[in-house]
Amino acid sequence: SGPQFRTGGRLEKVNLQDIAPTILHLAETPIPDDMDGRVLLEALAEPYASMPITYAEKQQEEGIEASIYTESEAAELEERLRSLGYL
Protein backbone atom coordinates (compact mmCIF):
# COMPACT_ATOMS: atom_id res chain seq x y z
CA SER A 1 0.00 0.00 0.00
CA GLY A 2 1.22 3.48 -0.75
CA PRO A 3 1.86 5.86 -3.61
CA GLN A 4 4.56 3.58 -5.04
CA PHE A 5 1.98 0.93 -5.95
CA ARG A 6 -0.80 0.75 -8.51
CA THR A 7 -4.27 0.23 -7.18
CA GLY A 8 -6.66 -2.40 -8.40
CA GLY A 9 -5.82 -5.16 -10.79
CA ARG A 10 -4.49 -8.60 -10.09
CA LEU A 11 -0.91 -9.81 -9.93
CA GLU A 12 -0.08 -13.08 -11.65
CA LYS A 13 2.86 -15.39 -10.99
CA VAL A 14 4.15 -13.64 -7.88
CA ASN A 15 6.55 -15.40 -5.52
CA LEU A 16 7.71 -14.56 -2.03
CA GLN A 17 11.24 -14.11 -3.44
CA ASP A 18 9.95 -11.16 -5.50
CA ILE A 19 9.41 -8.98 -2.42
CA ALA A 20 13.08 -8.22 -1.64
CA PRO A 21 14.08 -7.19 -5.20
CA THR A 22 10.98 -5.02 -5.42
CA ILE A 23 11.77 -3.26 -2.14
CA LEU A 24 15.39 -2.70 -3.20
CA HIS A 25 14.17 -1.25 -6.51
CA LEU A 26 11.82 1.12 -4.68
CA ALA A 27 14.72 2.20 -2.46
CA GLU A 28 16.79 2.82 -5.62
CA THR A 29 19.35 0.33 -4.34
CA PRO A 30 21.17 -2.09 -6.68
CA ILE A 31 19.85 -5.64 -6.48
CA PRO A 32 22.50 -8.33 -5.92
CA ASP A 33 22.80 -10.25 -9.18
CA ASP A 34 22.59 -13.57 -7.33
CA MET A 35 19.34 -12.68 -5.52
CA ASP A 36 16.31 -14.82 -6.30
CA GLY A 37 13.10 -13.18 -7.44
CA ARG A 38 12.26 -10.30 -9.72
CA VAL A 39 11.06 -6.72 -9.44
CA LEU A 40 7.25 -6.66 -9.61
CA LEU A 41 7.09 -3.83 -12.13
CA GLU A 42 3.45 -4.60 -12.89
CA ALA A 43 2.57 -3.71 -9.29
CA LEU A 44 4.35 -0.35 -9.31
CA ALA A 45 3.03 3.10 -10.14
CA GLU A 46 5.01 5.70 -12.04
CA PRO A 47 7.75 6.76 -11.86
CA TYR A 48 8.85 3.52 -10.12
CA ALA A 49 7.56 1.25 -12.88
CA SER A 50 9.71 2.92 -15.53
CA MET A 51 12.88 3.37 -13.45
CA PRO A 52 15.74 1.22 -14.75
CA ILE A 53 16.47 -1.82 -12.60
CA THR A 54 20.07 -1.82 -11.42
CA TYR A 55 22.04 -4.86 -10.34
CA ALA A 56 25.19 -5.19 -8.24
CA GLU A 57 27.71 -7.93 -8.90
CA LYS A 58 28.50 -10.21 -6.00
CA GLN A 59 31.89 -9.30 -4.62
CA GLN A 60 34.20 -12.13 -3.70
CA GLU A 61 37.44 -11.73 -1.88
CA GLU A 62 40.15 -13.75 -3.58
CA GLY A 63 41.77 -16.45 -1.51
CA ILE A 64 39.56 -15.86 1.51
CA GLU A 65 36.82 -18.25 2.45
CA ALA A 66 34.27 -16.34 4.49
CA SER A 67 32.66 -18.22 7.34
CA ILE A 68 30.32 -17.04 10.05
CA TYR A 69 31.47 -19.88 12.32
CA THR A 70 34.73 -20.50 14.10
CA GLU A 71 36.34 -23.89 13.49
CA SER A 72 35.00 -25.26 16.79
CA GLU A 73 31.50 -23.93 16.08
CA ALA A 74 31.57 -25.48 12.61
CA ALA A 75 32.66 -28.83 14.07
CA GLU A 76 29.89 -28.67 16.69
CA LEU A 77 27.30 -27.82 14.03
CA GLU A 78 28.50 -30.67 11.83
CA GLU A 79 28.26 -33.11 14.76
CA ARG A 80 24.73 -31.96 15.58
CA LEU A 81 23.63 -32.37 11.95
CA ARG A 82 25.28 -35.81 11.84
CA SER A 83 23.46 -36.91 15.03
CA LEU A 84 20.16 -35.81 13.47
CA GLY A 85 20.88 -37.87 10.36
CA TYR A 86 21.39 -34.96 7.96
CA LEU A 87 25.02 -35.85 7.23
Side-chain angles (χ1 to χ4, degrees):
S1 173
Q4 305 90 335
F5 299 97
R6 283 199 268 179
T7 58
R10 184 177 177 98
L11 296 175
E12 302 289 331
K13 298 182 181 177
V14 174
N15 292 305
L16 184 61
Q17 296 97 330
D18 300 333
I19 302 300
T22 302
I23 291 170
L24 290 172
H25 178 68
L26 288 171
E28 299 182 35
T29 302
I31 300 163
D33 63 357
D34 62 344
M35 178 177 274
D36 291 334
R38 64 184 182 87
V39 176
L40 298 170
L41 292 174
E42 66 273 21
L44 303 179
E46 291 299 336
Y48 303 98
S50 60
M51 287 179 5
I53 300 171
T54 58
Y55 294 93
E57 289 184 29
K58 182 178 178 182
Q59 296 180 355
Q60 292 183 351
E61 296 183 34
E62 291 184 33
I64 298 174
E65 184 177 321
S67 176
I68 59 173
Y69 302 109
T70 64
E71 286 186 37
S72 63
E73 290 172 332
E76 181 181 347
L77 179 60
E78 185 175 332
E79 182 55 38
R80 285 184 184 182
L81 290 173
R82 192 175 317 286
S83 70
L84 292 170
Y86 290 108
L87 298 177

